[in-house]
Amino acid sequence: MNKNQKIALGCGGAGCLGLIVVVVAGVLIYMFTGSLSTNRNYNFNSNANRPLNRNSNTPPNENGNASPSSATSSSMSDDEKHRLFQAVGMTGDTTLITRVLKKIGMVSADGIPTADYAKFTKDHFSWALKNAAFIQSVSTKEKAQAYVDEHLDD
């Protein structure tokens, strides 16, 4: 292999890696901003009426939290969580995104990000670099929607 061939291979590999990083960054930006439209309508509702009586006979799960969403999220592997997170981001459906984030334990039932959310999104970049084939398999809204529909209620 001559010097020019080595340079061509290096540039091709760097270009492919760069494209993957750009795609993942674009998906995450789109997912967190919703769209590029400047016409946005936000509606925040809050209810401070919470029951004061609690059942002390309910055994907490391994996270010390008796909520069903955390029990669901603990039964999923990290890879399954990342796959579902990636696929739902490709759908662009904000209601579905919120539902998945609750299922994988990244937001509470009230929609507030958990302490694990920042670490999970940071880890998602390295996961995405290792799982380009999966990302390609959910590269359209239809394919992503089908994956989420199939795996959301597991």
Side-chain angles (χ1 to χ4, degrees):
M1 183 178 293
N2 67 32
K3 185 177 180 179
N4 288 339
Q5 289 173 325
K6 289 179 183 177
I7 291 172
L9 282 175
C11 290
C16 184
L17 182 62
L19 181 60
I20 291 171
V21 170
V22 168
V23 167
V24 170
V27 166
L28 290 174
I29 289 170
Y30 179 79
M31 203 170 74
F32 292 117
T33 61
S35 69
L36 299 177
S37 172
T38 57
N39 296 326
R40 293 194 176 126
N41 182 14
Y42 295 102
N43 185 12
F44 296 100
N45 295 320
S46 176
N47 184 354
N49 295 326
R50 297 179 190 218
L52 296 177
N53 56 350
R54 300 195 187 248
N55 184 355
S56 61
N57 294 329
T58 304
N61 66 16
E62 64 204 28
N63 295 331
N65 183 348
S67 73
S69 65
S70 62
T72 304
S73 69
S74 66
S75 66
M76 295 178 73
S77 71
D78 283 342
D79 187 58
E80 291 169 327
K81 290 178 186 180
H82 283 288
R83 286 174 179 262
L84 198 53
F85 180 78
Q86 180 68 39
V88 79
M90 299 297 283
T91 68
D93 182 343
T94 55
T95 303
L96 190 58
I97 290 169
T98 302
R99 189 171 159 208
V100 166
L101 288 175
K102 286 179 183 178
K103 177 180 173 75
I104 65 175
M106 294 302 121
V107 297
S108 67
D110 298 335
I112 300 169
T114 64
D116 297 334
Y117 183 73
K119 182 179 181 332
F120 180 82
T121 55
K122 181 180 176 187
D123 292 346
H124 189 71
F125 283 108
S126 59
W127 176 90
L129 292 175
K130 297 173 189 168
N131 292 278
F134 173 77
I135 293 171
Q136 182 62 33
S137 75
V138 293
S139 62
T140 66
K141 284 187 178 187
E142 294 78 20
K143 290 178 183 178
Q145 183 70 48
Y147 182 88
V148 172
D149 290 344
E150 185 178 334
H151 293 89
L152 183 59
D153 295 321
D154 285 352

